[in-house]
Amino acid sequence: MLIQWFPGHMAKTKRLIIEHLKAVDVALELLDARIPLSSANPMVEELIQGKNHLVILNKADLADSNITQAWVSYYKQKGVRAIPVSSTSNKDRKKLLSAIKETAAPSIAKWERRGVKNRSARIMILGIPNVGKSTLINRLAKTAATRTANTPGHTRGKQWVRLAEGLDLLDTPGVLWPKFEDQVAAMRLAATGAIAGEIFDSFEVVSFLLKDLAVCAPDILNEKYGIQDMQADPLLMVEQIGRRRGSLLSGGVVDTVRAQQAVLSDFRSGKLGTITLDGIPEAE
């Protein structure tokens, strides 16, 4: 089964983002640290040309820290700063605010040369759905984000939200949908919960995830589920997991649906440990 999800208003969204980007100092690209490649929309690089750019590797607490640092280095080589964060924790808030303001500094300096003093850094967050944008905004704002008055001049009519002292967010969706020509990316997005359950076949996604884990985290499969044969058929793996978890129907038959959901839940919640599915692109 191919995962397909192409909202018809993508072109309209792209036009709106291009228009709104003119009013911001920094474009924040929000990615899932477990799947930085799969959670990226290739269109972003095209949209933000010439704009100060900061990559946020969200959910870093669920990702392999060594691989996350490799991704940070990868982006540094591309001339882009990447910041690993956990948007559910307050500990990264100060670091992220500082990084945003540092990235915005050249733009703010330009405004000051034009005579505009004490201007807040203005940001727009770009990313695919369900990578933690709302949680991140609430964490940056610390409390409920407060709307500021419409700003005159070239930003007339746009609504800004005050996230912190000296930092305003352009209150537009900034949402770009995944491109599913790459079904590996689609499966990994489904595994992390970025795609609604009704869009995909649970067994296919769990099968793909187990194959991924057999390569990148075989010790975890062994420790958590008792799986020793990493080449085993995914159905046999699911049945073994079901028996180990006690997901049984009458007669001792494994409830494979419950077992599949257990695997997804364990992975998404971090119960399997810190795991990154996307490696650095070999071509790079």
Side-chain angles (χ1 to χ4, degrees), residues 23 32 98 137 233:
D32 186 324
S98 176
I137 291 172
D233 185 284

Side-chain angles (χ1 to χ4, degrees), residues 260-281:
Q260 292 163 32
Q261 291 305 313
V263 173
L264 290 176
S265 177
D266 288 350
F267 171 66
R268 293 169 180 174
S269 65
K271 289 182 180 178
L272 294 183
T274 53
I275 297 171
T276 300
L277 300 181
D278 280 350
I280 306 297

Side-chain angles (χ1 to χ4, degrees), residues 31-37 55 57 60 63-84 276-282 284:
L31 305 176
D32 186 324
R34 297 168 295 178
I35 51 169
L37 191 62
V55 168
L57 296 170
D64 183 308
S65 59
N66 291 326
I67 301 178
T68 297
Q69 285 307 309
W71 275 102
V72 170
S73 298
Y74 166 80
Y75 278 108
K76 184 177 181 179
Q77 290 173 3
K78 296 181 68 173
V80 179
R81 186 176 180 183
I83 305 291
T276 300
L277 300 181
D278 280 350
I280 306 297
E282 291 183 10
E284 298 292 334

